[in-house]
Amino acid sequence: MKILPESQDLPLTVARALDLIGRTGSVSEAAEALGVTQPAVSKGIAQLEARFGLSLLKRGSRPLTLTEEGEALARFARQSDLAQSQALGALEDARSNRRGTVRLGSFGSSASFHILPKTLAAFARKHPGISVEVQEFPDDELRKVLAEDLVDVAILSIEVKETLEVLPITADKLVALLPLGHALMSRSCLTAADLADDPFILTKGGSGPLVERWFAQAGISPRITHTILQVNSIVALVQAGLGVSIIAEQALPDVSGRCHVVPLDPIAPRTIGFARTGRPFRAHAADTFWQFCSRLEPLGPDPG
């Protein structure tokens, strides 16, 4: 957009005066409303008329009226004042948290089942004018979109050496998922060696890398037959006896009567938290959401 040189700027005070003259028919009333002198208004109008070689007022009649060119400047004043009022209103709404949008990235089931419903409901009660748009991504992609400022805040698995600014939310752990009637159902916990011979269904979700590291630490390579993103699909395959799986406990829906859940040995814990890059947020609403999350009590594990 080309910026006009200062000499070409339209004087808003004179345009406002013309708008008032058009409504009152009086230069003196316009000057009084604007808090300036009548000679100052008359001089400003005369300078504009000389600059453009146009008449802005129909002189010689009472009350005074505007020419079409004068009315164009009056409209400019009204539109400028309206735009300013709307801009100031938007700023005040944002400052008072009456309006705004937060872009929240999530890595899927653990957040969707256990974290988001309570958190977003509590935030909506406190700040009903701010909307939170949730977008789901695989865990590794989520870090990329956060770095590229495509989301303001993300819920993800916190790494041991984390480079992001984080707020821990809850602790989670991996568990084995077995078909009903599986020979290992009675075991109190399972090792990587216990699961080495079964067809294995690997999750492509956020806990996938943690599952692979758990096997690698034991020097075991699982016999992967399926690689699945959706938790419900993993549960369905295990229920059908097509393999065993390992998944984050908090990502699991209710599987009672469908599959059997067994703890792992060694335990494979993970921490889930809100994360941000540490750069300034693009909008006040995102900062409000982050401050709200920073005051949340960490979530404990679900009973049972």
Side-chain angles (χ1 to χ4, degrees):
M1 180 180 67
K2 183 178 180 181
I3 305 298
L4 291 175
E6 187 175 351
S7 61
Q8 296 185 44
D9 287 346
L10 289 174
L12 187 54
T13 300
V14 178
R16 286 172 175 152
L18 286 166
D19 182 38
L20 288 166
I21 292 169
R23 286 187 273 150
T24 65
S26 168
V27 174
S28 60
E29 287 187 38
E32 183 179 356
L34 292 170
V36 297
T37 66
Q38 179 177 334
V41 170
S42 297
K43 181 180 179 181
I45 293 173
Q47 287 176 338
L48 268 184
E49 289 179 326
R51 173 177 159 189
F52 290 104
L54 297 168
S55 295
L56 302 176
L57 294 175
K58 295 179 183 177
R59 293 176 174 83
S61 62
R62 291 292 181 269
L64 283 174
T65 56
L66 305 181
T67 64
E68 288 187 5
E69 293 76 20
E71 178 57 36
L73 287 179
R75 284 197 303 273
F76 163 71
R78 292 193 295 270
Q79 292 166 355
S80 295
D81 289 341
L82 176 60
Q84 176 176 281
S85 176
Q86 291 172 336
L88 292 174
L91 291 176
E92 179 58 28
D93 284 347
R95 186 187 70 82
S96 303
N97 293 316
R98 291 193 295 264
R99 180 187 301 176
T101 301
V102 182
R103 303 166 304 172
L104 177 61
S106 173
F107 63 86
S109 300
S110 296
S112 299
F113 291 158
H114 299 276
I115 298 169
L116 289 181
K118 293 180 181 178
T119 301
L120 297 188
F123 183 75
R125 288 193 295 269
K126 187 171 180 62
H127 300 291
I130 298 178
S131 62
V132 181
E133 298 177 353
V134 180
Q135 305 173 50
E136 287 193 350
F137 300 90
D139 208 33
D140 54 349
E141 186 178 343
L142 183 54
R143 289 178 176 272
K144 180 180 178 182
V145 298
L146 182 61
E148 294 175 351
D149 199 33
L150 299 178
V151 296
D152 303 307
V153 178
I155 301 178
L156 42 70
S157 297
I158 298 174
E159 296 181 350
V160 176
K161 295 182 179 180
E162 187 58 75
T163 58
L164 298 169
E165 184 178 343
V166 297
L167 299 171
I169 308 169
T170 187
D172 196 5
K173 62 180 183 295
L174 299 181
V175 292
L177 200 60
L178 307 177
L180 295 180
H182 193 280
L184 298 174
M185 272 184 57
S186 60
R187 298 281 293 274
S188 60
C189 59
L190 296 173
T191 66
D194 293 329
L195 300 171
D197 295 331
D198 282 270
F200 190 80
I201 303 164
L202 179 66
T203 174
K204 286 185 65 178
S207 56
L210 185 58
V211 172
E212 293 177 307
R213 285 198 297 270
W214 184 78
F215 275 109
Q217 287 169 359
I220 300 290
S221 296
R223 190 157 64 89
I224 299 171
T225 54
H226 304 283
T227 304
I228 306 294
L229 178 60
Q230 298 297 327
V231 172
N232 286 328
S233 298
I234 294 173
V235 172
L237 291 177
V238 173
Q239 182 181 5
L242 297 177
V244 300
S245 188
I246 293 176
I247 197 165
E249 187 173 41
Q250 292 197 26
L252 279 173
D254 181 9
V255 297
S256 56
R258 302 171 62 192
C259 304
H260 191 67
V261 178
V262 183
L264 298 181
D265 180 22
I267 296 173
R270 70 170 182 171
T271 300
I272 299 172
F274 293 104
R276 59 172 292 185
T277 62
R279 297 191 299 267
F281 285 119
R282 66 177 183 90
H284 181 68
D287 186 65
T288 298
F289 181 77
W290 182 263
Q291 296 304 321
F292 173 84
C293 294
S294 71
R295 294 188 289 270
L296 291 175
E297 290 292 330
L299 299 176
D302 284 353

